[in-house]
Amino acid sequence: MAFQATEQIITDDPPDTPEEAILKYDVALADCDTDIFNLEQLLLKKREHRIRLASGREEACAAVACKESALKTARELLAPQQDAAHPPPPAQSGRQLTIVPTDAQPSSATPPTDPPAPEGGTAADSHISPDGPDSGPTGSPLDVGSELPDEVIVRGARMKQILTVMAQRPDADWGTGDVAALLGVSESDIAARRALRENLRNLARRGVLERVTVEGDFHTYYRPRMNWRFA
């Protein structure tokens, strides 16, 4: 019976005697033991590798959580400083109403000009470089300490577009280039840039925009007062 079993299992060179079958069984068992040992070693290495991977993942997750916590703390610390740097405009007593005239129209032949200066003064320069600062007349009533209107009616289509764009970020300081970029006015379109600056100056003179100057920066920036109504 043992001899027949050996012939069924070991078919390469069937043994002639039971003794030869025992030897072949011993060799086959030794090969199996070797394979099992090698597989167990490979499994052990895989498990150790997995442990290292899991540990590395936990460290990465901890780093991400620490980063998010630091960013949250920084935002909470900076929020009061930003609020203090951009305080809301003071409330005005009494209700005033003013109407902003129509838009300034771009013209390549005759650039728009500001209202004439008071007697004895000098007229504002209307030939401004497209990339230069937004300088404008300072003799309007709002520039000399008059109270700001509570509500301003805006009729010009271009001015409505400008205010709609700036209202997206009411706390930001807008330069002419910022507004021009969102309105699609290229730097090469000098006439359109000049008209845009003129509209910004008109809105500032009427109290719709607040002029903002930055120390060391020769450009003029504007901040919307959010006190207008389209008509």
Side-chain angles (χ1 to χ4, degrees):
M1 296 295 295
F3 182 74
Q4 294 179 355
T6 302
E7 287 184 338
Q8 295 175 1
I9 296 174
I10 306 175
T11 58
D12 294 339
D13 187 13
D16 296 331
T17 64
E19 290 77 4
E20 292 181 358
I22 292 173
L23 293 176
K24 288 185 177 293
Y25 271 118
D26 290 341
V27 173
L29 289 173
D31 291 339
C32 289
D33 291 339
T34 300
D35 292 340
I36 291 172
F37 176 79
N38 292 335
L39 292 173
E40 287 177 346
Q41 292 297 315
L42 179 60
L43 180 60
L44 179 61
K45 292 181 180 179
K46 282 293 182 180
R47 286 176 175 170
E48 293 176 351
H49 183 58
R50 188 187 186 284
I51 292 174
R52 290 194 297 269
L53 291 176
S55 177
R57 185 183 185 279
E58 291 179 357
E59 293 178 359
C61 291
V64 171
C66 182
K67 178 181 178 181
E68 292 178 350
S69 177
L71 290 175
K72 180 180 179 181
T73 302
R75 285 194 293 266
E76 292 175 351
L77 293 176
L78 291 177
Q81 300 178 9
Q82 294 176 349
D83 294 340
H86 303 284
Q92 302 293 333
S93 59
R95 183 171 181 82
Q96 300 180 4
L97 178 65
T98 186
I99 300 177
V100 178
T102 56
D103 303 339
Q105 299 296 330
S107 173
S108 57
T110 306
T113 58
D114 295 327
E119 184 177 354
T122 58
D125 183 9
S126 61
H127 299 282
I128 304 176
S129 171
D131 295 328
D134 291 341
S135 59
T138 58
S140 62
L142 291 178
D143 293 330
V144 294
S146 298
E147 292 185 355
L148 295 173
D150 293 330
E151 185 178 78
V152 181
I153 296 178
V154 179
R155 301 185 186 278
R158 192 58 167 175
M159 289 185 176
K160 292 179 181 179
Q161 295 176 355
I162 294 173
L163 294 177
T164 299
V165 167
M166 299 179 72
Q168 298 175 6
R169 290 186 295 162
D171 295 332
D173 297 336
W174 293 81
T176 303
D178 302 327
V179 180
L182 294 181
L183 292 178
V185 179
S186 63
E187 295 184 5
S188 60
D189 194 343
I190 299 176
R193 286 264 180 162
R194 185 182 296 116
L196 176 58
R197 285 194 297 271
E198 180 68 13
N199 281 324
L200 291 172
R201 287 195 293 266
N202 286 337
L203 291 170
R205 285 196 296 270
R206 293 336 188 262
V208 180
L209 301 179
E210 175 188 1
R211 289 178 183 267
V212 179
T213 57
V214 179
E215 184 178 358
D217 191 343
F218 64 90
H219 292 88
T220 299
Y221 299 91
Y222 298 91
R223 188 180 302 157
R225 297 183 185 273
M226 308 301 294
N227 62 342
W228 64 80
R229 176 167 59 88
F230 294 155

